[in-house]
C-alpha cells in the first residue's frame, strides 16, 4: 500500500494517550514526524485536567488534538465534555479514539465516547474497537499481545496508520 503523506500536518498535531500511544510512538512518529506525543502508561481520561493546561502553557497544544484515552478505566461524560469543549472553544480539532480492552469498562467507555461524538459532532470518533476487530482478524494479523489490548509491532503500525488517517480526514476538511 502506498501512503502519500502531507508533511504540513505534522506540526499541527498533539496526541495525548496512554500505553497504546507509548507503544506505538515509533510508528506515530513515522507517519507524523513532528507531532507532539504526550503519552503515559496507565493514564486515565481524568488526567486531562492537568495535562491540557500544561501543554497549552508550553505551546505544545496544537491545532489537531488526538485523545487516545479510556483503556485504563471509565470516566464521567460531563468531565470529558468539559475537556472537549475547552479544546473546541480554543479552535482545536478533536479526534477521540475508542478502546479495545478486555475489561468490564470497554463497552461503557466506547458508548460514552460515542455519545460525546454525537453531542459534539465537530469531533471525529476513530473506532479502534471496530478496526482492531475487523482489520486484524480478517487479515489474520496478530495485533495484540497476550493481554488482548497492548499492541504488537504489527498492531502498533495499524493503530498509528489509522490515527494518521483520521488526522488526514480532519486536515482535509472531510469531518
Amino acid at each position: 500500500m502506498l501512503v502519500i503523506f502531507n508533511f504540513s500536518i505534522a506540526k499541527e498535531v498533539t496526541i495525548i494517550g496512554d500505553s497504546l500511544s507509548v507503544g506505538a510512538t515509533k510508528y506515530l512518529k513515522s507517519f507524523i514526524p513532528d507531532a507532539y506525543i504526550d503519552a503515559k502508561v496507565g493514564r486515565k481520561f481524568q488526567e486531562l485536567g492537568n495535562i491540557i493546561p500544561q501543554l497549552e502553557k508550553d505551546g505544545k497544544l496544537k491545532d489537531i488534538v488526538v485523545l487516545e484515552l479510556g483503556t485504563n478505566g471509565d470516566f464521567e461524560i460531563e468531565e470529558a465534555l468539559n475537556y472537549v469543549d475547552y479544546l473546541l472553544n480554543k479552535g482545536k480539532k478533536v479526534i477521540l479514539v475508542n478502546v479495545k480492552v478486555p475489561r468490564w469498562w470497554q463497552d461503557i467507555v466506547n458508548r460514552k465516547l460515542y455519545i460525546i461524538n454525537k453531542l459534539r459532532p465537530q469531533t471525529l470518533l476513530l473506532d479502534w474497537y471496530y478496526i482492531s476487530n475487523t482489520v486484524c482478524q480478517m487479515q489474520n494479523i496478530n495485533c495484540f499481545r497476550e493481554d488482548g489490548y497492548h499492541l504488537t509491532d504489527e498492531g502498533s503500525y495499524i493503530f498509528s496508520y489509522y490515527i494518521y488517517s483520521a488526522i488526514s480526514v480532519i486536515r482535509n476538511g472531510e469531518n
Side-chain angles (χ1 to χ4, degrees), residues 90-139:
K90 292 285 184 173
K92 310 300 181 191
K93 302 287 187 179
V94 178
I95 299 172
L96 305 166
V97 181
N98 74 6
V99 300
K100 174 166 172 47
V101 57
R103 302 287 188 269
W104 64 266
W105 59 81
Q106 173 187 267
D107 293 341
I108 295 168
V109 164
N110 287 346
R111 191 169 23 257
K112 288 180 178 182
L113 289 169
Y114 175 81
I115 290 168
I116 291 167
N117 176 245
K118 289 303 169 199
L119 291 171
R120 301 299 183 268
Q122 62 272 50
T123 64
L124 178 66
L125 178 61
L126 174 60
D127 195 346
W128 174 241
Y129 178 82
Y130 175 79
I131 292 165
S132 64
N133 280 314
T134 55
V135 173
C136 296
Q137 291 180 9
M138 287 173 45
Q139 301 297 322

Side-chain angles (χ1 to χ4, degrees), residues 38-145:
D38 187 318
K40 180 179 142 192
V41 173
R43 179 172 281 160
K44 294 186 175 196
F45 216 102
Q46 295 84 343
E47 294 176 50
L48 283 176
N50 295 325
I51 296 166
I52 291 172
Q54 189 62 52
L55 290 174
E56 189 171 35
K57 179 181 170 212
D58 295 343
K60 295 178 178 169
L61 193 61
K62 305 302 181 183
D63 294 337
I64 299 171
V65 180
V66 178
L67 300 177
E68 181 275 307
L69 297 165
T71 303
N72 296 300
D74 191 14
F75 59 87
E76 296 299 321
I77 289 178
E78 296 78 17
E79 183 179 18
L81 278 172
N82 286 336
Y83 303 137
V84 169
D85 286 343
Y86 181 83
L87 294 168
L88 293 173
N89 289 333
K90 292 285 184 173
K92 310 300 181 191
K93 302 287 187 179
V94 178
I95 299 172
L96 305 166
V97 181
N98 74 6
V99 300
K100 174 166 172 47
V101 57
R103 302 287 188 269
W104 64 266
W105 59 81
Q106 173 187 267
D107 293 341
I108 295 168
V109 164
N110 287 346
R111 191 169 23 257
K112 288 180 178 182
L113 289 169
Y114 175 81
I115 290 168
I116 291 167
N117 176 245
K118 289 303 169 199
L119 291 171
R120 301 299 183 268
Q122 62 272 50
T123 64
L124 178 66
L125 178 61
L126 174 60
D127 195 346
W128 174 241
Y129 178 82
Y130 175 79
I131 292 165
S132 64
N133 280 314
T134 55
V135 173
C136 296
Q137 291 180 9
M138 287 173 45
Q139 301 297 322
N140 199 25
I141 299 170
N142 183 18
C143 288
F144 300 100
R145 295 187 197 163

Side-chain angles (χ1 to χ4, degrees), residues 23-43:
T25 295
K26 171 176 84 171
Y27 291 116
L28 288 168
K29 285 293 198 176
S30 172
F31 285 112
I32 320 159
D34 294 325
Y36 184 78
I37 301 171
D38 187 318
K40 180 179 142 192
V41 173
R43 179 172 281 160

